[in-house]
Amino acid sequence: MSFVSNHHFSLKRFTIVFFVCLLLLGSSFHKGVSYADAPVNVAGGKYVTASSEIMGNSAFVTDGDKSGNNYIGVTENLQWIQIDLRQNYSINKVNLWHYFADSRTYHDIIVRVSNDSNFSSGVTTVFNNDTNNSAGLGAGTNAEYSESSLGKSIEFSAVNARYVRLYTNGSSANIYNHYVEVEVWGVSSGGGGGGLPIVTNAMFDDFNYTGPYDSNLGLNNWTLRSYSGGPGPGGATWSPDNISFLNDPNQGSNKIMRLKASTDGTGVGTSEAEIYTSSMKYKEGTYAARVRFTDSPVSGVDGDGIVETFFTISSLRYDNDPLYSELDFELLANGGWGVTQPAMWNTSWYTYSNNPWSKDNVYNAHQGDYTGWHTLIMVVANGEIKYYLDGNLISTHGGQYYPRTNMSINFNLWFMAEALLGSTGNRTYEMDVDWVYHAKNMALTPAEVNSILQNYRNSSITHADNI
């Protein structure tokens, strides 16, 4: 394990001074929002069946991804899909995305809800554009429409139901039926936030800022690093100018935070990026972020040892501090630390020493291509750290590596000093972050995280913090 996380040697020497500065800076406090009685997407992560064979992964329908790249098909002519919400809810809206890349129009779109899985009784039709009753479910009065990335929002008076069934009868493009995503919005029939756990203390940030010097960043407990030191090659600098906030090309009202790092192969020619919470107030609970990783530079030659990260960290008071805590998602897109292929590293730390250098951590390195957007989740509860990537559990650590003190939340983009190519001209890498979330002392499932995040966005909330 001697090759793991060599950056800690240079990084941690600055940790004590760094966090003393944070104590002098102080932190802001913003009230959060309670969603105990607010509608949420109760279909998130729920089970999907169909009238005939599903072509594709049925989980695509309720996974929250509306990009249009992951959709299912349900053979030809009149067919339906059905979502089991697992309990009764008072629902009043269905958001629906069919395949939309070519703006096609689907026929005989009918949406029905019921507490009967066979839809033989207690059925309410909330949308029907089958105006000639070709589906045999009654003539509808709604109009056909062209599909788009915005989807179709169907609102109606609240109905108590457990099952949602959606019909189509081919489209203007062909006789097949396709679904990208379905959301069902409501609350449980007995209240309580649509069956979701009630999160009383949480932090959420959608990174909706104007630029690196936006005063709201500080008010919302963020610091953009400008002090020198590791990780990275000696002489490298860190600049707030390496962080920007861009309009999301896929969602008009959304913004994306972009981290940039560049190098010419020398320490003094290297500039890196980091943003972190200005206070250490996070320990047990659920951590989540949506991150876009890249595996090649946006300019210049490829091959430098680039590290793209989402992590939590505490201060090291002295060498081999037994209270030190750190949890890492680290993508080494060009390999490193003894692994020649791209790999996602999950590392949980007990402690380390600067002089002489030694470390005590546990890790997993998952080789593969991680280019593109991913949802990263760390659930810290009951003596275990569970690392999830896009809803899949990929690592579990525990024992002495379980956090023992409060930590900050961090993103950074940096180069491994031992893995620079040398002076072959300047090259620049990027990493994007969509949002970050923490639920204090709550062990949430990936589906629950997705539903909560959808709720924030549905309510046009870009920042909340009551931790």
Side-chain angles (χ1 to χ4, degrees):
M1 289 169 47
S2 61
F3 54 86
V4 179
S5 296
N6 294 327
H7 66 282
H8 287 80
F9 178 77
S10 53
L11 169 63
K12 308 300 170 53
R13 287 182 297 180
F14 296 87
T15 306
I16 297 175
V17 174
F18 163 52
F19 281 109
V20 167
C21 293
L22 293 186
L23 291 174
L24 296 175
L25 288 172
S27 62
S28 60
F29 182 84
H30 285 245
K31 291 292 184 181
V33 178
S34 173
Y35 294 109
D37 298 313
V40 297
N41 174 25
V42 297
K46 298 298 173 56
Y47 189 58
V48 177
T49 56
S51 54
S52 61
E53 180 183 1
I54 293 177
M55 295 171 287
N57 184 354
S58 63
F60 287 167
V61 178
T62 58
D63 68 354
D65 187 343
K66 309 177 187 71
S67 65
N69 295 322
N70 58 346
Y71 60 90
I72 66 164
V74 189
T75 64
E76 68 273 9
N77 302 318
L78 183 67
Q79 303 290 341
W80 52 259
I81 67 168
Q82 183 167 307
I83 302 173
D84 181 358
L85 302 177
R86 304 298 296 169
Q87 69 176 71
N88 295 339
Y89 293 97
S90 177
I91 60 178
N92 63 1
K93 183 169 67 172
V94 172
N95 292 336
L96 171 61
W97 288 261
H98 294 107
Y99 183 79
F100 55 77
D102 54 5
S103 301
R104 64 183 62 183
T105 297
Y106 283 86
H107 307 309
D108 297 351
I109 297 177
I110 304 170
V111 181
R112 311 176 91 198
V113 301
S114 177
N115 282 316
D116 176 11
S117 62
N118 296 318
F119 279 74
S120 58
S121 64
V123 177
T124 301
T125 299
V126 299
F127 186 90
N128 185 346
N129 67 8
D130 175 19
T131 57
N132 63 359
N133 195 26
S134 60
L137 297 174
T141 59
N142 299 107
E144 287 195 337
Y145 60 91
S146 297
E147 299 293 335
S148 75
S149 60
L150 299 177
K152 178 68 172 178
S153 183
I154 302 168
E155 298 188 24
F156 46 91
S157 299
V159 180
N160 184 61
R162 169 173 171 171
Y163 302 94
V164 179
R165 184 176 286 189
L166 307 100
Y167 294 80
T168 51
N169 192 1
S171 72
S172 57
N174 52 53
I175 61 174
Y176 301 103
N177 306 282
H178 308 91
Y179 292 85
V180 172
E181 187 76 16
V182 178
E183 296 177 343
V184 180
W185 288 82
V187 298
S188 65
S189 55
L196 287 173
I198 298 175
V199 180
T200 56
N201 298 102
M203 183 275 284
F204 167 71
D205 204 302
D206 209 19
F207 295 113
N208 192 7
Y209 301 102
T210 60
Y213 302 100
D214 188 331
S215 60
N216 287 320
L217 281 160
L219 292 174
N220 291 345
N221 197 37
W222 292 107
T223 295
L224 280 64
R225 180 174 172 179
S226 59
Y227 66 93
S228 61
T237 59
W238 300 78
S239 173
D241 291 322
N242 288 341
I243 298 177
S244 58
F245 301 90
L246 312 173
N247 292 329
D248 185 346
N250 297 316
Q251 297 184 52
S253 61
N254 188 44
K255 282 199 169 183
I256 299 296
M257 178 173 68
R258 175 162 293 172
L259 283 72
K260 179 179 68 176
S262 60
T263 187
D264 63 2
T266 67
V268 295
T270 298
S271 182
E272 301 168 320
E274 181 168 13
I275 182 172
Y276 51 85
T277 58
S278 306
S279 58
M280 292 180 290
K281 57 181 181 179
Y282 307 98
K283 188 180 178 185
E284 293 182 302
T286 301
Y287 300 83
R290 185 169 181 258
V291 178
R292 184 180 73 90
F293 295 113
T294 58
D295 66 352
S296 58
V298 294
S299 63
V301 298
D302 194 6
D304 290 293
I306 188 72
V307 186
E308 307 168 55
T309 74
F310 165 49
F311 65 106
T312 64
I313 191 172
S314 74
S315 60
L316 183 81
R317 299 171 298 169
Y318 48 82
D319 282 350
N320 297 315
D321 182 356
L323 295 183
Y324 178 74
S325 303
E326 181 181 346
L327 309 173
D328 301 332
F329 270 102
E330 296 174 300
L331 175 65
L332 275 61
N334 288 321
W337 299 339
V339 177
T340 59
Q341 299 299 314
M344 178 69 72
W345 290 73
N346 298 136
T347 307
S348 303
W349 287 78
Y350 177 67
T351 194
Y352 73 96
S353 170
N354 272 317
N355 188 22
W357 169 248
S358 65
K359 57 185 174 53
D360 189 351
N361 60 26
V362 61
Y363 66 92
N364 298 102
H366 304 278
Q367 298 184 42
D369 181 3
Y370 295 92
T371 307
W373 285 103
H374 298 280
T375 300
L376 314 178
I377 297 177
M378 298 180 289
V379 178
V380 182
N382 303 316
E384 289 186 326
I385 311 109
K386 293 184 179 294
Y387 294 87
Y388 293 86
L389 179 77
D390 297 330
N392 299 308
L393 179 63
I394 61 173
S395 300
T396 301
H397 301 156
Q400 69 184 39
Y401 305 103
Y402 194 76
R404 294 157 302 286
T405 192
N406 286 352
M407 302 172 287
S408 62
I409 296 175
N410 305 250
F411 300 91
N412 67 11
L413 183 65
W414 57 278
F415 296 97
M416 292 180 284
E418 70 277 13
L420 291 179
L421 293 178
S423 296
T424 58
N426 196 70
R427 49 270 188 194
T428 300
Y429 286 80
E430 294 176 347
M431 178 182 83
D432 292 342
V433 182
D434 189 359
W435 50 260
V436 65
Y437 174 73
H438 175 70
K440 181 178 180 179
N441 297 333
M442 296 290 294
L444 302 175
T445 67
E448 289 168 342
V449 169
N450 177 70
S451 292
I452 290 169
L453 266 293
Q454 290 293 328
N455 195 22
Y456 277 118
R457 287 195 161 167
N458 187 63
S459 302
S460 299
I461 294 171
T462 58
H463 177 81
D465 187 357
N466 66 350
I467 297 178

